[in-house]
Amino acid sequence: MSYPQLSLYIDGQFLHGDGRKEQDVLNPATNQVIGKLPHATRDDLDLALKSAARAFETWKKTSPLERSKVLRKVAELARERANDIGRNITLDQGKPLAEAVGEVNFCAEHAEWHAEEARRIYGRVIPARQDGVRQLVLREPIGVCAAFSPWNFPFNQAIRKITAALGAGCTIVIKGPEDAPSAVVALARLFHDAGLPAGCLNVVWGVPHEVSDYLIKSPIVRKISFTGSVPVGKLLAGLAGSLMKRCTMELGGHAPVIVCDDADVETAADMLVGFKFRNAGQVCISPTRFYVQEGAYDKFVARFIAKTEKIKVGDGLEASTRMGPLAQARRVAAIGSFIEDAHQRGATVLTGGKSLGGEGNFYAPTVIADLPEDAKLMTEEPFGPVAGIARFKTLDEVLLRANSLPFGLAAYAFTTGTKNANAISNGLQAGMVSINHFGMALAETPFGGIKDSGYGSEGGLETFDGYLNTKYVTQLN
Ligand code: NAD
């Protein structure tokens, strides 16, 4: 199975091994080596930083209309190449081909949306207190950005950061996920072919903490964007904070789902199975803690399990596969630790609960009930194909339980009552709340969390706030 040659992309050049340290890239469906990923040397990182700084001096002055043209071209090329890019995502990340191709097509919209909105980054005029004084608020690009994107949606997470930075007039050095690198190399090729000037986008690879430490500490870098786990996010935000650098932090979650007695229970169960096991549950907004009201509990659980057991697990390249392998062998061990804790606490594994063996990282879609509130699954983000289900009696009680964790990324509810829906959307501590459907992660809507789940947005108009400085100018004529 052919897999593309991987490279760094620095100052407009694709750079390959050439004596650099290289890392094996594995197919999670087979654990066979499919590619070699070159790590950036110190000189490579310095060149990436220098070229991003040089390119910023020109790019920041490029008209929004010109920036917009490049971004539009990227969207067009992404759609043309979606099948190839998607296939390579399936090879190195594992998700089913339809999900991978869908990720590329859907996320081409980020390039389009930023192309449009980059033309509407307006300042304002504030009426002055004195005749002859003009008071202006200007929005200026922040400068060179350092971004770190994860492996679960390798195309999506990287294109959000790159298009926001470039749309705002910034330049960027991005370290993609070494585990699933093909999508970010493909992105570099898309921008290169769309005519982005050299240095505006640079792609580097390496040992994550070494690269992030070096880039964040560089005086050239003015802004950090990270998507990943809470502990790593806190580390990077701490370092950036000590150097007074702006951050967007999109971190982990542990999304509660509240299913009320008055919900359309069967529809809720069907929708939730699809959403829960998408990308094998390796999704920061994946529903993970299911709270079902007593009157709906038995019906919901029966339907949820029946649907879950129908999910075909296999190699993502096979047309019948609905859930691929976990992205790395370490994720199989991580999920195992949640199941072990559940067993120790006397919980009931309703379905799944085991790895499926073979050469790949396959794990059975798993549903667990009767978990004590302090079980690992109800308190730590599983980031895998596991759902924990619990009962609740009243809305007040379930809101307290849903809000009891330090996370606050996504939350969901199913109810037909407006009063319930209002109480839930007002009462849940989360950056995103979706009721009776899954309406998140669109280019035009904010995407981000509160509490330990981070700050800043990776979507919607709010994104640009992270990439722009505000300058106030007052002038007496
Ligand atoms: P991890 O914490 O080791 O890594 C998470 C991500 O951060 C990876 O992409 C990794 O390359 C990167 N990373 C790790 N240390 C870094 C550093 N010092 N500097 C820069 N980047 C660094 O965990 P993992 O096993 O790869 O992933 C599982 C956990 O990561 C999950 O529990 C989940 O919370 C989190 N995660 C979240 C998202 C998200 O969309 N928010 C995406 C991927 C992973």
Side-chain angles (χ1 to χ4, degrees):
M1 186 66 63
S2 70
Y3 180 75
Q5 186 181 25
L6 300 167
S7 56
L8 303 148
Y9 179 63
I10 298 175
D11 202 16
Q13 305 288 322
F14 289 87
L15 307 173
H16 306 291
D18 297 328
R20 295 177 176 86
K21 187 183 158 204
E22 289 186 296
Q23 170 177 346
D24 288 344
V25 177
L26 308 182
N27 177 346
T30 60
N31 279 311
Q32 301 289 313
V33 176
I34 52 174
K36 298 271 180 198
L37 181 69
H39 281 196
T41 61
R42 269 296 147 90
D43 287 348
D44 290 330
L45 294 179
D46 285 337
L47 183 60
L49 287 164
K50 248 194 238 160
S51 70
R54 190 205 64 236
F56 178 62
E57 293 309 314
T58 315
W59 187 246
K60 70 179 179 188
K61 294 179 197 147
T62 305
S63 76
L65 187 63
E66 285 303 310
R67 286 184 226 146
S68 169
K69 280 183 192 157
V70 174
L71 292 173
R72 268 180 212 290
K73 187 70 189 169
V74 165
E76 186 191 318
L77 294 176
R79 292 201 177 95
E80 276 173 29
R81 299 176 191 178
N83 287 341
D84 283 347
I85 299 173
R87 181 184 150 282
N88 294 327
I89 292 176
T90 296
L91 282 175
D92 63 21
Q93 198 273 347
K95 68 180 65 176
L97 185 61
E99 282 184 33
V101 174
E103 179 178 337
V104 179
N105 278 316
F106 184 64
C107 291
E109 287 180 17
H110 286 285
E112 262 158 5
W113 191 84
H114 284 95
E116 290 158 12
E117 291 305 326
R119 298 172 64 185
R120 302 187 191 104
I121 297 173
Y122 302 133
R124 66 189 200 278
V125 180
I126 300 175
R129 296 182 178 198
Q130 185 188 331
D131 188 32
V133 170
R134 191 186 283 263
Q135 302 182 137
L136 304 175
V137 179
L138 307 179
R139 316 271 350 248
E140 297 183 336
I142 201 164
V144 174
C145 307
F148 308 93
S149 63
W151 46 263
N152 57 339
F153 289 95
F155 191 86
N156 173 9
Q157 312 271 20
I159 196 171
R160 281 171 183 266
K161 295 178 194 304
I162 298 168
T163 53
L166 295 176
C170 298
T171 56
I172 181 166
V173 180
I174 185 166
K175 187 198 80 60
E178 285 76 13
D179 297 304
S182 65
V184 177
V185 177
L187 271 165
R189 179 61 69 185
L190 289 174
F191 280 94
H192 185 85
D193 293 351
L196 184 73
C200 290
L201 166 65
N202 299 273
V203 172
V204 297
W205 309 101
V207 177
H209 73 267
E210 291 175 6
V211 178
S212 61
D213 199 66
Y214 195 72
L215 294 182
I216 295 172
K217 283 181 180 163
S218 163
I220 289 174
V221 168
R222 294 310 319 159
K223 192 243 154 65
I224 319 301
S225 173
F226 173 75
T227 301
S229 61
V230 172
V232 175
K234 285 184 174 175
L235 213 74
L236 302 194
L239 178 58
S242 73
L243 298 163
M244 209 49 76
K245 297 188 181 187
R246 193 97 63 87
C247 285
T248 300
M249 288 283 149
E250 203 270 277
L251 309 180
H254 200 338
V257 186
I258 297 171
V259 181
C260 297
D261 280 345
D262 67 357
D264 178 344
V265 172
E266 293 190 338
T267 304
D270 292 354
M271 288 169 69
L272 281 162
V273 168
F275 204 55
K276 165 71 236 174
F277 297 105
R278 179 177 69 118
N279 201 7
Q282 303 166 121
V283 184
C284 55
I285 57 168
S286 177
T288 41
R289 295 179 285 151
F290 290 66
Y291 298 104
V292 185
Q293 204 160 13
E294 284 182 326
Y297 188 86
D298 290 342
K299 193 172 167 188
F300 178 86
V301 170
R303 180 86 173 198
F304 193 84
I305 292 167
K307 285 269 169 185
T308 300
E309 287 179 341
K310 289 208 174 85
I311 295 171
K312 167 92 169 40
V313 180
D315 188 322
L317 288 181
E318 285 166 21
S320 59
T321 294
R322 291 291 165 270
M323 192 181 104
L326 303 190
Q328 306 93 12
R330 66 175 182 274
R331 296 307 309 155
V332 176
I335 296 304
S337 71
F338 285 88
I339 311 303
E340 202 181 301
D341 177 78
H343 279 305
Q344 276 170 13
R345 289 159 180 277
T348 313
V349 177
L350 297 171
T351 187
K354 56 182 190 304
S355 93
L356 295 174
E359 287 175 345
N361 311 323
F362 297 104
Y363 207 93
T366 299
V367 184
I368 305 183
D370 308 319
L371 284 151
E373 205 76 343
D374 63 348
K376 188 172 158 85
L377 182 55
M378 299 310 267
T379 54
E380 291 177 31
E381 180 184 32
F383 216 66
V386 192
I389 303 193
R391 294 169 199 266
F392 76 91
K393 283 195 174 74
T394 69
L395 216 48
D396 286 346
E397 165 219 327
V398 78
L399 286 172
L400 274 178
R401 288 163 72 186
N403 291 337
S404 64
L405 299 186
F407 306 102
L409 191 59
Y412 307 91
F414 286 83
T415 176
T416 50
T418 311
K419 201 171 157 204
N420 278 352
N422 290 343
I424 289 167
S425 55
N426 290 337
L428 280 173
Q429 294 168 1
M432 297 172 281
V433 178
S434 194
I435 299 182
N436 293 328
H437 78 141
F438 305 117
M440 291 174 194
L442 308 173
E444 65 272 29
T445 56
F447 191 92
I450 59 170
K451 296 161 80 177
D452 275 7
S453 295
Y455 45 76
S457 182
E458 291 272 310
L461 280 180
E462 291 75 7
T463 307
F464 279 135
D465 293 340
Y467 292 88
L468 295 166
N469 285 329
T470 298
K471 182 187 275 177
Y472 168 58
V473 177
T474 182
Q475 185 179 325
L476 175 62
N477 293 320

